[in-house]
Amino acid sequence: MAATAQKHIGRNIARIREMRGMKQETLADLLGISQQKVSLLENAETLEDHKLEPIAQALELPLEALKNFSEDAFFNIISNTFNTNDNGIAILRTENYQPTFNPLDKLVESYEENKKLYERLLDTEKEKSRVIEELVRKFIKE
């Protein structure tokens, strides 16, 4: 019976942190530890769950995902999520996309906000013109 290879938990932490674009210093700040301690964690082959839980939380993923992270699985998820069209541009598959808002409502809301801003700008310009006219009248009278 072949023994299964033990995953190097520190490499998982480092790789996930890097994929999230996070520096060791940032992770250290989130965990309330030094950057050197993060470096030690990333070199550890194994860590107890009670030490992994805050790390998983800081990396915003479930503990099991951190423990069982696999780059192959990650890239498999990405390749199943993205397709490329003929121009080689990656597009997100939207079969399961369910917005929590009505896009038309957002468009109308944006239009209304722009209308209000335009009206405020127009009122400001009218006020500016009125002030200039008053100044000109005062100047002419003097």
Side-chain angles (χ1 to χ4, degrees), residues 99-113:
T100 57
F101 60 89
N102 183 341
L104 290 176
D105 289 344
K106 290 291 185 186
L107 183 63
V108 169
E109 185 180 305
S110 174
Y111 172 77
E112 292 300 323
E113 285 180 34

Side-chain angles (χ1 to χ4, degrees), residues 23-44:
K23 294 185 178 216
Q24 281 186 341
E25 292 84 3
T26 306
L27 183 57
D29 287 344
L30 291 171
L31 296 172
I33 61 176
S34 69
Q35 179 270 326
Q36 291 82 4
K37 181 72 174 173
V38 170
S39 181
L40 290 173
L41 291 172
E42 290 182 355
N43 286 312

Side-chain angles (χ1 to χ4, degrees), residues 109-122:
E109 185 180 305
S110 174
Y111 172 77
E112 292 300 323
E113 285 180 34
N114 284 343
K115 185 177 172 183
K116 288 176 186 175
L117 287 171
Y118 177 75
E119 288 171 354
R120 284 182 25 210
L121 178 64
L122 190 58

Side-chain angles (χ1 to χ4, degrees), residues 23-123:
K23 294 185 178 216
Q24 281 186 341
E25 292 84 3
T26 306
L27 183 57
D29 287 344
L30 291 171
L31 296 172
I33 61 176
S34 69
Q35 179 270 326
Q36 291 82 4
K37 181 72 174 173
V38 170
S39 181
L40 290 173
L41 291 172
E42 290 182 355
N43 286 312
E45 280 190 49
T46 61
L47 286 171
E48 299 83 25
D49 282 0
H50 73 276
K51 289 184 180 179
L52 285 175
E53 287 172 3
I55 297 169
Q57 196 171 32
L59 293 171
E60 298 178 350
L61 67 152
L63 177 61
E64 290 304 312
L66 176 61
K67 289 167 62 173
N68 299 317
F69 175 76
S70 157
E71 282 193 41
D72 291 339
F74 174 79
F75 289 116
N76 188 30
I77 290 168
I78 294 296
S79 67
N80 287 332
T81 306
F82 287 89
N83 289 330
T84 57
N85 63 13
D86 292 339
N87 297 328
I89 300 170
I91 53 174
L92 181 62
R93 288 186 8 198
T94 58
E95 295 96 33
N96 296 326
Y97 178 66
Q98 307 258 333
T100 57
F101 60 89
N102 183 341
L104 290 176
D105 289 344
K106 290 291 185 186
L107 183 63
V108 169
E109 185 180 305
S110 174
Y111 172 77
E112 292 300 323
E113 285 180 34
N114 284 343
K115 185 177 172 183
K116 288 176 186 175
L117 287 171
Y118 177 75
E119 288 171 354
R120 284 182 25 210
L121 178 64
L122 190 58
D123 288 343

